[in-house]
Amino acid sequence: MSTEPSPQNVSFPSAGATAYGYLAVPPSGHGPGVIVIQEWWGLTSHIKDIADRFARAGFVALAPDLYGGQVAHDSDEALRMMSELPTDRGTELLSGAVGYLLERPETDGETVGAVGFCMGGGFVLSLAAKEQRVSAAVPFYGVIKDGMPDFSNLKAEILGNYGELDPSVPPESLEELRTTIESQSGIVPVFHVYPGAGHAFFNDDRPEAYHAESSTEAWERTLDFLRAQLTKAS
């Protein structure tokens, strides 16, 4: 029996169009579902590797392609591509991905988790605020680009991972986010701030940003959180 995940490129209907993504199925052939949401760079090899890592940990992981096949090669291009994707449109595409993942025969349970990085971390919160089929949300240094969503319909528990030295999401900004989520939904998010880590500390394709100790700790916390929440929700 293989000990490696089974990856494949997939397409599915979403937001009135055909969407694409990268699906990784665990060696067991089934498991709880997790949506993996890209950074502002696009659906890169790094994001696909994260989906594979989730699959090795027992999850059915789907990384939707929010840019329709485009990948940014520098920060100016990434900023342009992110700016051209309205939050409402991206959230609608992700909602379609949730439905597709739950319909897959490999996916266990009636809800999924969502994990996102940078731009994707902001989309994790927008998706969870809208989509009640998401029961666990994990933003990594999530950049909320169009203002905070309305959390009044939020059902997901939230675990956030942030870098102490991140100018994009300074730690002092988290108190406002925590207060907003709790006051609107009654859910108390748990935020972890990692000493010595900056923005994109989990991205091991970017040695100038990667912080190994924080990355390892955040990954272990994320896996424990998803297993606990998705098992409870199933």
Side-chain angles (χ1 to χ4, degrees), residues 114-140:
V115 181
F117 304 84
C118 178
M119 176 189 82
F123 271 118
V124 160
L125 294 174
S126 297
L127 177 64
K130 175 184 177 182
E131 180 57 76
Q132 297 190 5
R133 294 176 295 179
V134 174
S135 60
V138 185
F140 275 72

Side-chain angles (χ1 to χ4, degrees), residues 148-154 156-158 174-191:
M148 286 197 199
D150 178 0
F151 292 106
S152 57
N153 291 319
L154 179 73
E157 297 294 330
I158 297 174
L174 298 178
E175 187 56 39
E176 180 186 1
L177 179 59
R178 179 187 289 108
T179 300
T180 300
I181 292 172
E182 184 176 0
S183 64
Q184 293 181 358
S185 70
I187 290 172
V188 181
V190 176
F191 294 147

Side-chain angles (χ1 to χ4, degrees), residues 78-141:
L79 178 60
R80 175 186 61 77
M81 291 163 69
M82 180 179 74
S83 300
E84 291 174 354
L85 177 64
T87 298
D88 288 348
R89 175 66 176 174
T91 304
E92 190 178 5
L93 286 167
L94 291 167
S95 186
V98 170
Y100 171 75
L101 184 57
L102 284 170
E103 290 169 1
R104 295 280 312 192
E106 303 94 338
T107 305
D108 297 337
E110 297 180 354
T111 66
V112 300
V115 181
F117 304 84
C118 178
M119 176 189 82
F123 271 118
V124 160
L125 294 174
S126 297
L127 177 64
K130 175 184 177 182
E131 180 57 76
Q132 297 190 5
R133 294 176 295 179
V134 174
S135 60
V138 185
F140 275 72
Y141 33 86

Side-chain angles (χ1 to χ4, degrees), residues 12-226:
F12 50 93
S14 182
T18 298
Y20 300 88
Y22 178 86
L23 179 75
V25 177
S28 66
H30 67 95
V34 175
I35 301 289
V36 181
I37 310 177
Q38 68 192 53
E39 296 174 303
W40 69 344
W41 305 107
L43 183 51
T44 61
S45 59
H46 170 62
I47 297 299
K48 292 178 180 179
D49 178 66
I50 293 173
D52 289 341
R53 290 176 64 182
F54 273 120
R56 291 189 191 98
F59 297 90
V60 180
L62 173 63
D65 186 350
L66 296 181
Y67 288 167
Q70 298 184 75
V71 175
H73 297 94
D74 58 52
S75 57
D76 288 341
E77 189 178 16
L79 178 60
R80 175 186 61 77
M81 291 163 69
M82 180 179 74
S83 300
E84 291 174 354
L85 177 64
T87 298
D88 288 348
R89 175 66 176 174
T91 304
E92 190 178 5
L93 286 167
L94 291 167
S95 186
V98 170
Y100 171 75
L101 184 57
L102 284 170
E103 290 169 1
R104 295 280 312 192
E106 303 94 338
T107 305
D108 297 337
E110 297 180 354
T111 66
V112 300
V115 181
F117 304 84
C118 178
M119 176 189 82
F123 271 118
V124 160
L125 294 174
S126 297
L127 177 64
K130 175 184 177 182
E131 180 57 76
Q132 297 190 5
R133 294 176 295 179
V134 174
S135 60
V138 185
F140 275 72
Y141 33 86
V143 175
I144 302 175
K145 66 190 188 78
D146 292 327
M148 286 197 199
D150 178 0
F151 292 106
S152 57
N153 291 319
L154 179 73
K155 299 299 181 185
E157 297 294 330
I158 297 174
L159 174 77
N161 295 300
Y162 299 89
E164 176 192 31
L165 307 178
D166 184 355
S168 303
V169 193
E172 57 268 22
S173 71
L174 298 178
E175 187 56 39
E176 180 186 1
L177 179 59
R178 179 187 289 108
T179 300
T180 300
I181 292 172
E182 184 176 0
S183 64
Q184 293 181 358
S185 70
I187 290 172
V188 181
V190 176
F191 294 147
H192 294 285
V193 177
Y194 296 85
H199 192 69
F201 70 79
F202 194 78
N203 191 334
D204 52 7
D205 278 353
R206 296 181 58 202
E208 76 280 6
Y210 180 61
H211 194 272
E213 181 180 352
S214 300
S215 178
T216 298
E217 188 174 4
W219 180 248
E220 291 172 352
R221 280 174 166 159
T222 296
L223 291 181
D224 288 346
F225 173 75
L226 290 173

